[in-house]
Amino acid sequence: ISQTDMSPLLPYLRASHQYYLQGRLEHIDQHVHLLAASLEEKFGRVLCQFFDDYISEVRDHFDKEESEVFPYLEALQKGGNPVEDPRIYSYDEAHESIKDKLADLTQIIFKYLPANAFSNDAIDLIFDILQTAGDLEKHALIEEKILLPYIELLAIHSENVK
């Protein structure tokens, strides 16, 4: 990491956050609501609420990264010595929760969706969920295996410069 140009990392992560929130998750949300409209009201409402809560959790996670972690990294990159170290070491928990909830959504659909409701829309939704889950898992790996070690490296260097 110390020998690699890391300047593209934050722009990539910011762009990917926008892609997930305004692209992939919004697309899945449309599928969820379309599917929910064809179901028994109670199940449709639960399905929509579950996914709305999921989107809210992802948005909160991305907001925290962009308002706390990324500015901290930018300060370290500029040679600064930021006083407040954001709680970046709980990434694993947040990423697991986000990953688990997409798996839960797939299970909910398989378990509670009536057999006659498996239209092309339902199949498209499941494929979209599975693809997005894989993409988010790779995104989490980039943060955990590249971003966090890079922050740790810069923080150690910053401490040594004191």
Side-chain angles (χ1 to χ4, degrees):
I1 289 178
S2 63
Q3 303 299 318
T4 304
D5 176 15
M6 299 300 280
S7 62
L9 183 60
L10 283 182
Y12 166 78
L13 291 172
R14 284 187 173 111
S16 67
H17 288 175
Q18 291 306 309
Y19 168 75
Y20 292 122
L21 290 174
Q22 295 173 356
R24 297 302 309 151
L25 295 178
E26 191 172 292
H27 176 77
I28 292 172
D29 189 51
Q30 290 170 354
H31 273 277
V32 166
H33 283 82
L34 180 68
L35 183 63
S38 69
L39 301 174
E40 180 184 323
E41 182 184 350
K42 178 182 175 184
F43 178 70
R45 190 174 53 248
V46 168
L47 184 63
C48 288
Q49 185 61 53
F50 184 90
F51 195 68
D52 290 346
D53 291 347
Y54 174 77
I55 289 175
S56 180
E57 181 177 341
V58 171
R59 183 172 282 111
D60 289 347
H61 176 74
F62 288 169
D63 286 348
K64 180 176 176 144
E65 288 178 349
E66 295 199 19
S67 67
E68 296 176 17
V69 178
F70 294 177
Y72 178 73
L73 174 56
E74 288 170 327
L76 288 171
Q77 286 174 322
K78 292 176 184 171
N81 193 359
V83 176
E84 193 164 326
D85 181 2
R87 293 177 22 121
I88 59 175
Y89 303 103
S90 62
Y91 261 42
D92 288 347
E93 293 172 21
H95 288 159
E96 282 300 312
S97 176
I98 287 171
K99 184 174 96 175
D100 290 347
K101 286 194 176 147
L102 270 185
D104 292 345
L105 178 61
T106 305
Q107 293 303 315
I108 289 168
I109 291 169
F110 280 128
K111 185 173 182 177
Y112 295 106
L113 196 63
N116 63 350
F118 276 96
S119 64
N120 285 343
D121 287 332
I123 293 167
D124 285 346
L125 171 60
I126 291 168
F127 282 141
D128 285 344
I129 292 168
L130 294 173
Q131 179 182 2
T132 301
D135 289 349
L136 284 168
E137 192 166 332
K138 290 173 187 136
H139 177 85
L141 280 173
I142 289 169
E143 291 180 347
E144 293 167 12
K145 302 297 183 189
I146 297 172
L147 176 68
L148 293 182
Y150 180 54
I151 289 173
E152 290 171 5
L153 178 72
L154 291 179
I156 289 169
H157 177 42
S158 175
E159 286 292 319
N160 290 339
V161 172
K162 280 185 179 179

